[in-house]
């Protein structure tokens, strides 16, 4: 059995925890004897390479990035490009002998669902945040540059296409709270879902970290998909009862 991972970003263009947990999962699967092929857009790296047993395939993409830079939604959310991606992914699945398609983040769900349908392979989607509930770009206010308006338009189109794509795959959530939220919102039916937590980081071996009991630390990308609205609400409520707590 060979698993095909689909991810919008991957080393050396990782932007957060999703890419790192995807790589960690792939490496652990390879160690366990399950081959893995990672397919991702090419933002300026070798088209194919082997790293620690992982096969990495990068699809042609019209935009070049620097490590840590985000791709424009005009390109990544473009439904025409998603169809092109799907065709190329399907070709690669057949060539690699892939048995299962595993979509790792929202930017590849449309292409992944299409490719799985083209090849008759089962599809699994991992949901790590609120990206399928909230738009990836805020609506572009009047007067903004045309490219921002186009990005916002494609983000809304992508949102319309993404939700039906979640109806057919098997969905994995990284927490019970996320699963409950998506089921309650009607995005998934709750039958074809499971909760599987991310593989944790390597054990910390440094000096013990000081804890003062009054500091709440958030580590992650500053985006609506990370649930910052919930954090802001919690901070407002807690600050009234515990003004000594820092966020």
């Amino acid at each position: 059995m060979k698993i095909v991972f689909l991810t919008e970003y991957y080393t050396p263009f990782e932007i957060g925890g999703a890419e790192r947990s995807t790589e960690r999962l792939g490496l652990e699967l390879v160690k366990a004897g399950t081959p893995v092929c990672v397919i991702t857009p090419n933002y300026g790296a070798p088209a194919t390479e082997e790293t620690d047993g992982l096969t990495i395939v990068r699809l042609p993409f019209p935009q070049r990035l620097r490590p840590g830079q985000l791709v424009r939604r005009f390109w990544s959310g473009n439904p025409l490009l998603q169809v092109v991606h799907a065709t190329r992914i399907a070709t690669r699945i057949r060539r690699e002998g892939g048995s299962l398609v595993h979509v790792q983040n929202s930017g590849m769900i449309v292409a992944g669902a299409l490719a799985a349908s083209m090849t008759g392979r089962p599809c699994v989607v991992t949901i790590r945040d609120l990206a399928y509930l909230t738009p990836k770009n805020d609506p572009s206010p009047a007067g903004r540059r045309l490219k921002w308006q186009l990005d916002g338009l494609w983000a809304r189109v992508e949102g319309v296409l993404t939700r039906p794509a979640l109806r057919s795959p098997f969905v994995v959530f990284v927490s019970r709270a996320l699963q409950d939220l998506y089921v309650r919102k009607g995005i998934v039916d709750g039958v074809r879902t499971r909760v599987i937590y991310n593989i944790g980081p390597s054990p910390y071996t440094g000096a013990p970290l000081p804890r003062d009991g009054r500091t709440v630390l958030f580590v992650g990308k500053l985006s609506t998909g990370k649930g910052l609205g919930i954090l802001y609400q919690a901070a407002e409520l807690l600050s009234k009862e515990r003004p000594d707590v820092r966020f």
Side-chain angles (χ1 to χ4, degrees):
M1 179 180 184
K2 189 169 192 175
I3 302 177
V4 175
F5 282 2
L6 304 182
T7 178
E8 188 175 16
Y9 299 95
Y10 196 75
T11 304
F13 301 102
E14 68 270 26
I15 59 169
E19 297 78 44
R20 293 177 175 86
S21 63
T22 296
E23 182 180 36
R24 181 77 183 274
L25 176 59
L27 292 173
E28 292 298 326
L29 284 170
V30 168
K31 289 179 184 177
T34 300
V36 175
C37 174
V38 179
I39 299 181
T40 185
N42 192 349
Y43 305 121
T48 59
E49 63 178 325
E50 295 279 339
T51 304
D52 297 324
L54 289 173
T55 301
I56 303 167
V57 176
R58 296 185 175 91
L59 304 173
F61 197 81
Q63 184 181 359
R64 289 292 178 263
L65 302 179
R66 299 182 304 275
Q69 182 182 7
L70 292 173
V71 70
R72 279 192 60 193
R73 216 67 233 172
F74 175 77
W75 292 120
S76 63
N78 189 315
L80 298 178
L81 189 57
Q82 290 287 331
V83 173
V84 173
H85 276 345
T87 303
R88 288 171 171 160
I89 291 168
T91 299
R92 199 74 197 197
I93 289 172
R94 296 187 184 101
R95 186 181 304 171
E96 295 287 336
S99 306
L100 174 72
V101 178
H102 189 172
V103 181
Q104 299 291 334
N105 46 30
S106 58
M108 297 295 283
I109 175 61
V110 175
L114 287 174
S117 178
M118 291 177 186
T119 57
R121 269 49 167 198
C123 184
V124 175
V125 177
T126 289
I127 295 182
R128 295 180 169 84
D129 54 27
L130 307 180
Y132 296 96
L133 297 177
T134 56
K136 299 176 182 61
N137 289 76
D138 293 330
S140 301
R144 275 199 172 184
R145 295 171 60 181
L146 178 60
K147 74 172 186 177
W148 288 104
Q149 296 178 28
L150 290 174
D151 282 356
L153 172 63
W154 281 138
R156 291 189 288 274
V157 171
E158 184 185 15
V160 171
L161 296 175
T162 293
R163 292 200 176 191
L166 281 174
R167 292 295 180 181
S168 55
F170 188 87
V171 181
V172 172
F173 291 93
V174 298
S175 75
R176 184 73 59 190
L178 274 178
Q179 182 191 44
D180 292 344
L181 179 59
Y182 274 82
V183 171
R184 190 166 65 249
K185 293 286 187 179
I187 308 302
V188 297
D189 58 17
V191 177
R192 296 171 58 83
T193 67
R194 293 290 186 277
V195 174
I196 302 176
Y197 295 98
N198 285 327
I199 299 175
S202 301
Y204 177 71
T205 57
L209 300 176
R211 297 184 182 183
D212 60 10
R214 298 189 304 275
T215 301
V216 177
L217 177 65
F218 169 82
V219 180
K221 185 172 64 174
L222 296 177
S223 70
T224 53
K226 297 302 181 186
L228 283 177
I230 298 173
L231 178 64
Y232 295 153
Q233 293 174 20
E236 183 178 5
L237 292 172
L238 187 58
S239 63
K240 295 177 181 178
E241 298 183 10
R242 291 285 305 275
D244 58 322
V245 172
R246 299 183 303 156
F247 284 83

